[in-house]
Amino acid sequence: MANRFGVKLQSRLPNLAGIYPFSTPITCTNSVQCCSKAQTRIVGKRRAIRCRNIHRRVVLGIGVSLWSQFMSMAGNVGAKSFVASARQKGATEQVLKNVEWPEQFPFKDEDFQRFDESSDTLFYEMPRFVTHIDDQAIAALTKYYSEVFPSSNTPGVAVLDMCSSWVSHYPAGFKQERIAGMGMNEEELKRNTVLTEYVVQDLNNNPKLPFGDNTFDVITNVVSVDYLTKPLDVFKEMSRVLKPGGLAIMSFSNRCFWTKAISIWTSTGDADHVMIVGSYFHYAGGFEPPQAVDISPNPGRSDPMYIVYSRKIATA
């Protein structure tokens, strides 16, 4: 049974959800100071604020409905041993192993509320020609892409970069006949040289993808899945536009514009995020069981980087 609103989040979470609930810094990529004792550092041209022990769900007064229903999701991993090893690189890869998903989607509408509910179009109106993860994390993501992407210039291959920007972090020289980008700022998309086409669209306002069925071989989304307020609608659309057997790759770190990230994301930690994204694949339908990969390049000394991926179920 879900606890009532107003109870501190950490008192609600089972062991699995408590892997990183408040001990791991949540980092904001805007200039708002989101805690009283912030540690700031300059990364490239962006100002990042690293905050500890942020109880944003309590500030918002929003309840959590997810974790009480995920008590049995640790699979074959013992809760105590899992928590003890969770800080080690790769432990989050176990989160999606042998999951016993609840019958119904366990989120409520309030889990997708944000601190700032103003227009996303206005928020992204000005272009930001910056990167939102550090260079080591970018290199790790690019290396991962190089290992799973189709070979460059493969006939008939089409790729979609969702929530795209001025850079997609694809391998150097990667080209396909069609690489479509979807994003919020046209100036950023124009600057992205890997794209062969782009669409400006707010997925929180209109989650319908403007593409035909069975169009793309690969869909990517870099550090933006945490901003989706209608994730099931978006993931159902991803399933529709992917070719049978097509690959969807969601990558994320612990950095975000926290005022625009959904409540369930800002009030939980890295391993919890893996479970959240995995649930989107599961409940959207049409996907194989999702899997997680920890590609963090230098734990504790660079931005962490996680992948949750799945393939569209191949039809007979």
Side-chain angles (χ1 to χ4, degrees):
M1 178 180 298
N3 291 306
R4 299 179 62 184
F5 297 170
V7 181
K8 288 186 177 181
L9 180 67
Q10 65 267 43
S11 67
R12 310 180 191 192
L13 300 181
N15 284 337
L16 177 60
I19 294 169
Y20 295 109
F22 298 105
S23 59
T24 293
I26 301 174
T27 304
C28 313
T29 54
N30 61 356
S31 59
V32 177
Q33 181 166 319
C34 49
C35 65
S36 58
K37 295 182 180 180
Q39 298 177 336
T40 62
R41 65 188 177 109
I42 304 299
V43 182
K45 296 181 179 179
R46 83 184 189 281
R47 186 177 183 84
I49 300 179
R50 183 174 293 272
C51 304
R52 297 179 184 274
N53 301 324
I54 305 170
H55 300 233
R56 297 196 186 100
R57 179 66 64 93
V58 177
V59 174
L60 289 171
I62 296 171
V64 61
S65 61
L66 173 66
W67 301 115
S68 62
Q69 300 186 50
F70 278 177
M71 290 294 289
S72 63
M73 286 192 178
N76 60 1
V77 182
K80 291 183 179 179
S81 62
F82 190 82
V83 172
S85 64
R87 298 175 189 277
Q88 300 174 11
K89 185 179 184 301
T92 51
E93 297 180 357
Q94 302 302 313
V95 172
L96 294 177
K97 301 291 186 183
N98 304 316
V99 177
E100 298 178 12
W101 299 100
E103 183 176 348
Q104 301 295 324
F105 189 51
F107 294 98
K108 294 183 178 180
D109 290 344
E110 56 262 30
D111 293 323
F112 302 101
Q113 293 178 354
R114 286 110 29 107
F115 189 89
D116 178 6
E117 292 287 2
S118 64
S119 169
D120 291 337
T121 300
L122 290 177
F123 184 82
Y124 293 102
E125 184 177 17
M126 296 297 294
R128 296 177 174 90
F129 297 112
V130 298
T131 54
H132 301 292
I133 48 178
D134 64 25
D135 291 342
Q136 293 184 61
I138 291 172
L141 179 60
T142 300
K143 181 177 183 294
Y144 177 82
Y145 282 157
S146 71
E147 296 168 350
V148 301
F149 273 11
S151 299
S152 195
N153 293 312
T154 300
V157 165
V159 178
L160 172 62
D161 188 25
M162 292 178 57
C163 304
S164 189
S165 180
W166 68 285
V167 62
S168 295
H169 307 309
Y170 290 176
F174 180 77
K175 293 182 179 181
Q176 299 295 348
E177 182 178 341
R178 186 179 190 186
I179 302 179
M182 292 188 70
M184 292 288 292
N185 186 281
E186 186 168 13
E187 293 303 312
E188 293 178 6
L189 294 169
K190 284 181 179 179
R191 186 82 68 90
N192 192 329
T193 57
V194 76
L195 302 179
T196 61
E197 62 186 84
Y198 65 81
V199 177
V200 178
Q201 182 172 319
D202 181 355
L203 291 173
N204 289 339
N205 182 51
N206 176 19
K208 177 75 173 180
L209 301 183
F211 307 105
D213 297 354
N214 305 319
T215 297
F216 296 101
D217 298 89
V218 178
I219 294 177
T220 58
N221 182 322
V222 181
V223 295
S224 295
V225 68
D226 46 325
Y227 302 121
L228 297 177
T229 61
K230 302 174 183 176
L232 274 195
D233 292 338
V234 172
F235 276 62
K236 288 176 181 178
E237 281 292 288
M238 287 164 48
S239 177
R240 180 183 65 81
V241 303
L242 273 173
K243 297 176 183 177
L247 177 65
I249 303 170
M250 305 291 109
S251 61
F252 50 91
S253 184
N254 65 352
R255 298 188 172 278
C256 65
F257 295 112
W258 75 269
T259 60
K260 282 297 185 180
I262 58 173
S263 177
I264 191 67
W265 194 275
T266 59
S267 59
T268 53
D270 294 350
D272 308 316
H273 298 160
V274 169
M275 183 69 79
I276 291 168
V277 178
S279 75
Y280 295 165
F281 279 115
H282 176 79
Y283 291 103
F287 288 102
E288 297 177 357
Q291 299 184 55
V293 182
D294 182 352
I295 60 169
S296 302
N298 198 0
R301 291 182 291 276
S302 66
D303 291 342
M305 203 67 200
Y306 307 102
I307 303 288
V308 175
Y309 71 91
S310 182
R311 290 187 179 273
K312 180 176 178 177
I313 295 174
T315 56

